[in-house]
Amino acid sequence: MKRKQYEFIEVVNIGSRKRMQNAPQVSLAPSKAIMPKPPLVAEGSQVFPCYSAGRVFIHLDITNARAGFQLHRAVLERQSSWFANEFQKSDSITDSIRFLFYLKTCEHKPPLLVQSYEHDVKSVSQSNYINPQKAKAAQHINDTISAKSSTTSSDTIKDESIQSRAIVDLTNRHSHNNGLGEKREAPAQDSVQNSSVANSREQHEYHRSKTAHRWLLGMYYNLAPYLSTTDIDEALTQCEEIVRIANYYGSLPTVRPYLGNALSQFRQGLYHAIARDPPRWLLLSVKLELGATFSEAMIHCAGVFPYSLWPTDVNTLPENLLTTIKAKARDLAFLRSQVSIELHMNTLAEAEGGPAVSLLSAPEAWAVVQMFRDWLAHQERNLRQANKLYDGRHFRKIRKGREAYLPSKLMVTLLEEAGLRGILKYNWDAVEDDLNCLKDYAQQAVESLMKNNLMVDPEVGGITYLTCVQVDSKDYPWIQAVPKGL
C-alpha cells in the first residue's frame, strides 16, 4: 500500500523524490459521506477514450473531470498538425503526465483546446484521471504545495491559478461581485432575460463543440462519429462543427471519409437538402472534397446568379467560388440567348427545302407563324420582368411540345378575334398541323437547355430555373490547387 501511495504522489507533485518520500502518511480510506467513484482508467486499459499507456490528457468538460481522454502522443501527432506543434512547445509536466489540454471558452470565439503547463499540475491532481480513492492524499499534497508557494510574487500566483480561474469563469461567469468588494445593483428585467438567452446560447455552443471534439478524437482512432441518421439538417450542422474544429487542428484529411460516408447514407434526401440551401452545402463540399455535392450545389447557384433564393447568400461565398459561379452563369446566359434566337427564327416553308412563307405567298400560314412568335415574345417579356428565375419552367413547356402550351383551339380563337377569318381564304383545319410543325422544331431547339444535370427532378422539386449547367472535375477547387505533374 505504501508503494502505491508514493506512485500517486509521483503523479501529482513535481518536486524531488526526496520530498515525496518525506510526505506525511495520509489515510486512504474513503469517506462514509462520499462514496468513491471507480477509476476512470483501468490497469492495462486499451479501450478508447482512455488508454493506460497514454500520456496525453484531454479535458472536454472541466466541470466533470471524468469526461476526459487519455490518449497516445504518437497518434495525435500523426493525425493533427496542431497537436504536433503543441507537443514541440513544451516538455512533459511530470514523468507520468506528459501533456494536458482542456476545452476553453473565450469571448466571441468558439470553444477550442488549450494546453496547460506546469503551473496547472494542481488542477490535474484534482481530476478523476487519478484513482479517486487517493483523492485525500492528493488534496494534502496540494495544500502543502500551496503553502510553500504562498510567498511567491502576485504575478506567479496569477500564473499558477489560470486553470482554477478558467473553471470558475466557466461555471460562475456572471458573478454578482464587481471585483471591488461592492455589490452590483439589481439588473433590469430585460437585461436578465438577455443574459439568460446569451447563457443558453453559450451553453449550447459549448455542448456542441464538446461533442464535436469527442467525435474528432474518436476519428483519430478509426471510430466513426454518431451523426444524425434521420435529420439531414441536423447532420449538416454536426458536420459543419466537426469541419470547423478539424480545420483548426489540421485534421481535415482524417474526417473527410467519415463525414462523406455519413452524408451519403441519406441518398436522395441529401440532394433535396442541397436544393434548400446550395451555398451552404457548397462551402461544406469544398472542405470535405465531395465532388457530387459540389456539382449539385454549383448547378443551383449558377442557375440563378446573380440572384439568391436561399438563407445563405451566394454573394457571401469566397472569391474563388464566386469566380466559378460567374463563369458558369455566363456560359448559361450565352446558351440561352442562342436558343432564344433559334426559336424566334422558327418558321414554315412553302415546300421542303423551299423559301419561308410570307404574307404574299401564303398569308394564312404566315399568320400562324406570326401568332407563334408573338406568344414567344410575350412569354420572354414576362420572364424578363420576373428576372431569370422562371426560365426553366418556360423552356420545359416548350420541350413537352404539342398541347402543353398554346393549344391549337386557342390559336384558331386568336386568329378569329384578329378578324382574319373573313379576310384570308384559309383552311382552318390546317391550323393544328402548321402549329404542330412549329412546336416540333421548337422542341428540338430547346433540347440543349433541357438537359438536367441535377440528381433530382426539377419539376418534382419545384425548381423553376435552368439546371443544365455543366460541372466537371476540373472545376473542383481542391483539384485546381494541386500543381500539374503531381
Side-chain angles (χ1 to χ4, degrees):
M1 191 67 183
K2 185 176 181 180
R3 184 185 61 81
K4 292 185 178 179
Q5 181 178 348
Y6 287 161
E7 178 184 5
F8 169 67
I9 296 173
E10 191 172 293
V11 173
V12 299
N13 193 353
I14 59 175
S16 65
R17 184 175 298 275
K18 181 177 181 181
R19 189 200 306 178
M20 289 187 289
Q21 292 176 347
N22 295 331
Q25 301 294 324
V26 181
S27 175
L28 301 179
S31 172
K32 295 182 179 180
I34 303 177
M35 295 299 295
K37 298 178 181 179
L40 184 64
V41 186
E43 185 71 23
S45 173
Q46 295 298 328
V47 180
F48 184 86
C50 295
Y51 298 87
S52 59
R55 289 297 176 261
V56 179
F57 296 81
I58 300 177
H59 274 292
L60 293 185
D61 187 352
I62 56 178
T63 63
N64 179 15
R66 292 184 62 80
F69 297 76
Q70 184 174 342
L71 306 177
H72 305 94
R73 171 176 177 172
V75 174
L76 298 179
E77 280 183 325
R78 183 170 61 252
Q79 301 286 2
S80 168
S81 59
W82 182 86
F83 275 107
N85 292 333
E86 289 296 316
F87 292 147
Q88 294 177 357
K89 288 181 181 179
S90 63
D91 297 328
S92 61
I93 296 178
T94 68
D95 292 340
S96 299
I97 302 177
R98 301 298 184 185
F99 302 93
L100 171 67
F101 300 87
Y102 64 93
L103 198 61
K104 183 178 181 181
T105 303
C106 303
E107 290 292 336
H108 309 296
K109 292 182 180 181
L112 293 169
L113 290 175
V114 295
Q115 183 175 182
S116 294
Y117 298 97
E118 291 186 1
H119 50 255
D120 290 324
V121 172
K122 178 179 179 180
S123 65
V124 179
S125 66
Q126 294 171 344
S127 74
N128 283 328
Y129 288 124
I130 303 168
N131 193 327
Q133 295 181 359
K134 304 176 182 178
K136 287 188 176 182
Q139 184 63 44
H140 179 82
I141 299 300
N142 289 330
D143 294 341
T144 303
I145 296 176
S146 299
K148 291 187 177 182
S149 61
S150 59
T151 57
T152 57
S153 64
S154 60
D155 292 338
T156 304
I157 295 175
K158 179 178 179 181
D159 290 338
E160 292 180 348
S161 62
I162 287 180
Q163 174 74 356
S164 299
R165 286 190 291 104
I167 298 175
V168 173
D169 183 60
L170 180 64
T171 57
N172 193 22
R173 186 179 294 276
H174 300 284
S175 174
H176 293 289
N177 192 302
N178 60 6
L180 298 177
E182 301 177 2
K183 294 184 177 180
R184 293 181 177 178
E185 297 181 0
Q189 185 175 359
D190 292 343
S191 299
V192 173
Q193 292 178 352
N194 293 337
S195 177
S196 177
V197 172
N199 283 339
S200 177
R201 186 184 302 111
E202 183 176 320
Q203 292 174 0
H204 176 73
E205 181 179 340
Y206 183 84
H207 175 74
R208 187 176 61 186
S209 179
K210 181 176 68 174
T211 303
H213 277 81
R214 185 186 306 116
W215 287 339
L216 177 62
L217 294 174
M219 283 183 275
Y220 289 168
Y221 285 84
N222 300 321
L223 299 176
Y226 293 98
L227 302 181
S228 175
T229 58
T230 57
D231 188 347
I232 182 66
D233 295 323
E234 177 64 20
L236 170 61
T237 302
Q238 293 170 338
C239 286
E240 288 176 330
E241 182 64 19
I242 294 175
V243 165
R244 180 188 68 80
I245 65 172
N247 186 54
Y248 177 80
Y249 298 120
S251 303
L252 280 178
T254 300
V255 306
R256 282 170 183 149
Y258 294 101
L259 301 188
N261 178 68
L263 293 175
S264 66
Q265 302 306 311
F266 287 94
R267 301 183 184 277
Q268 198 69 7
L270 170 63
Y271 301 107
H272 287 288
I274 294 174
R276 293 195 292 269
D277 198 351
R280 185 178 176 184
W281 283 95
L282 192 65
L283 289 172
L284 181 65
S285 68
V286 173
K287 294 292 185 181
L288 297 181
E289 298 184 0
L290 302 175
T293 303
F294 179 88
S295 300
E296 192 84 359
M298 178 61 68
I299 293 170
H300 285 287
C301 294
V304 300
F305 191 81
Y307 308 104
S308 186
L309 309 176
W310 311 286
T312 304
D313 190 358
V314 174
N315 295 285
T316 62
L317 295 174
E319 188 62 32
N320 63 324
L321 294 180
L322 276 178
T323 301
T324 303
I325 292 174
K326 291 176 182 178
K328 298 297 181 183
R330 284 195 300 268
D331 294 342
L332 179 61
F334 177 77
L335 178 60
R336 185 196 181 284
S337 64
Q338 296 299 308
V339 171
S340 180
I341 293 174
E342 193 74 13
L343 289 175
H344 283 279
M345 293 177 62
N346 190 7
T347 187
L348 295 173
E350 296 182 14
E352 186 175 354
V357 296
S358 64
L359 179 60
L360 298 178
S361 62
E364 300 86 355
W366 173 85
V368 175
V369 173
Q370 299 309 311
M371 293 297 291
F372 180 79
R373 292 176 176 175
D374 184 67
W375 178 85
L376 282 174
H378 278 287
Q379 292 296 313
E380 294 199 1
R381 181 175 181 271
N382 294 336
L383 289 174
R384 183 173 299 177
Q385 291 178 347
N387 301 326
K388 56 182 291 187
L389 307 181
Y390 299 95
D391 281 6
R393 182 180 297 174
H394 166 62
F395 288 107
R396 289 183 194 111
K397 285 183 179 180
I398 298 177
R399 175 64 179 82
K400 291 179 180 179
R402 298 301 173 102
E403 296 301 306
Y405 67 100
L406 195 59
S408 56
K409 291 182 179 179
L410 177 60
M411 176 66 77
V412 173
T413 302
L414 293 175
L415 291 172
E416 288 178 344
E417 290 177 354
L420 298 178
R421 184 162 189 167
I423 299 175
L424 301 176
K425 296 179 181 180
Y426 190 62
N427 180 9
W428 295 103
D429 296 334
V431 169
E432 183 176 357
D433 293 336
D434 291 342
L435 185 59
N436 285 339
C437 287
L438 294 172
K439 289 181 177 180
D440 290 345
Y441 181 84
Q443 187 177 32
Q444 298 176 9
V446 300
E447 192 67 34
S448 58
L449 283 178
M450 289 299 95
K451 183 180 181 182
N452 177 34
N453 289 324
L454 292 177
M455 296 299 292
V456 296
D457 187 343
E459 295 189 7
V460 175
I463 299 172
T464 60
Y465 42 88
L466 296 172
T467 59
C468 59
V469 175
Q470 186 68 36
V471 182
D472 301 317
S473 59
K474 58 181 175 56
D475 298 314
Y476 299 160
W478 55 92
I479 292 182
Q480 294 175 353
V482 177
K484 294 181 179 180
L486 295 182

